[in-house]
Amino acid sequence: MKILNIKTYGIKNISNLISIDFSNLTIEKGLKNLNNVKAIFGLNGVGKTALITSVDFYKKITSDSNFLYQNKVKENLKKLINNSTKEFYFSMICFSSRTKQYIKHEITLKEDKISHDFYLSEEKLSLCKGRTLNENFETVFIKKNNELNFINNKIMILDDLMKQDFSYKSIVSIVKNKYLEHLIKNGDKSFSSSLNEYDKVLLNLFFFVNN
């Protein structure tokens, strides 16, 4: 997996959407011209730490299905999420060398008006179908306000998850549990051999965020 772009807002002083490109936006040239980012620099207070914190939150939300349930995390989010946006957004576009697909994954945390805890209000997985990273993304699934919708019922691996509470769980993190269940029952037998291309995209995304 290779990261091509990240976008985020909502942590600390990042109130407006920021975007960082790691490649040329034209797909044919993008993988051949990846930018080797070595460091982030800038004046004090411009958002360097906030950006790193955003990446860290994304990784933890998508790799640990219990992360948002933890009381320390809830209190920390109340302190770190921007007071004007009152929400946290993060998206990542990456290239899967296994499936040869360009994947876009997005999450949004919002504040519950009653409990004031932050919950996962929206999550979306898409595949790029155009010539650039700014156009023609085909939605694979979208989870919004605890309702999970598959586009054309393409993901088999999540068929039994429709009744779960997704308010505090990323779909990507839930795949971890499905994968571990398979290992316990079947040992090292290939989990991906029985999956279709859309399931494999989700599984590859899980492996990526866990590294």
Side-chain angles (χ1 to χ4, degrees):
M1 289 283 236
K2 298 178 180 179
I3 298 177
L4 305 179
N5 172 272
I6 60 173
K7 291 183 174 68
T8 190
Y9 69 80
I11 291 294
K12 300 178 74 172
N13 59 337
I14 304 178
S15 57
N16 297 315
L17 183 70
I18 62 171
S19 177
I20 300 178
D21 294 316
F22 296 91
S23 75
N24 188 300
L25 291 180
T26 302
I27 287 178
E28 287 82 357
K29 298 179 181 179
L31 293 177
K32 297 179 181 179
N33 296 285
L34 288 175
N35 298 319
N36 293 317
V37 176
K38 303 296 185 184
I40 300 172
F41 65 93
L43 299 174
N44 290 338
V46 297
K48 301 185 300 297
T49 302
L51 178 60
I52 299 302
T53 302
S54 298
V55 175
D56 184 54
F57 270 131
Y58 171 77
K59 176 180 173 62
K60 289 176 178 176
I61 290 168
T62 52
S63 60
D64 183 356
S65 60
N66 294 315
F67 179 69
L68 291 174
Y69 285 106
Q70 300 172 34
N71 290 328
K72 285 186 177 180
V73 173
K74 292 179 180 180
E75 293 303 315
N76 202 20
L77 284 170
K78 291 176 183 178
K79 296 176 183 177
L80 291 176
I81 289 187
N82 187 277
N83 288 327
S84 61
T85 64
K86 295 189 181 300
E87 66 179 44
F88 165 59
Y89 170 83
F90 193 96
S91 77
M92 176 182 69
I93 299 176
C94 55
F95 175 75
S96 171
S97 57
R98 291 184 179 180
T99 62
K100 308 299 181 185
Q101 290 169 313
Y102 295 83
I103 305 166
K104 183 178 184 181
H105 185 239
E106 305 167 74
I107 62 169
T108 303
L109 297 186
K110 287 187 177 181
E111 183 182 25
D112 184 278
K113 294 181 179 179
I114 298 176
S115 68
H116 299 293
D117 290 334
F118 286 91
Y119 67 100
L120 193 58
S121 65
E122 187 168 339
E123 181 175 11
K124 185 177 181 180
L125 181 69
S126 309
L127 297 178
C128 182
K129 297 298 182 180
R131 292 174 59 85
T132 75
L133 298 180
N134 287 330
E135 61 180 348
N136 295 332
F137 276 86
E138 175 193 46
T139 301
V140 177
F141 76 75
I142 182 169
K143 180 194 76 68
K144 193 170 185 178
N145 295 327
N146 207 38
E147 291 186 4
L148 177 62
N149 293 304
F150 306 114
I151 307 304
N152 297 325
N153 296 317
K154 289 172 179 173
I155 300 184
M156 297 185 298
I157 193 175
L158 299 178
D159 284 347
D160 60 344
L161 300 179
M162 296 300 288
K163 296 182 180 180
Q164 287 204 28
D165 181 359
F166 300 108
S167 298
Y168 296 93
K169 294 181 181 180
S170 163
I171 300 300
V172 177
S173 70
I174 292 173
V175 172
K176 171 185 179 180
N177 299 330
K178 297 289 291 181
Y179 179 68
L180 292 178
E181 285 176 11
H182 172 84
L183 288 182
I184 292 172
K185 292 179 181 178
N186 304 291
D188 294 329
K189 294 180 181 178
S190 176
F191 181 51
S192 60
S193 61
S194 61
L195 305 178
N196 65 28
E197 61 174 316
Y198 296 98
D199 293 291
K200 290 178 182 178
V201 167
L202 190 54
L203 188 61
N204 286 337
L205 184 59
F206 157 69
F207 284 132
F208 178 67
V209 298
N210 277 268
N211 289 329

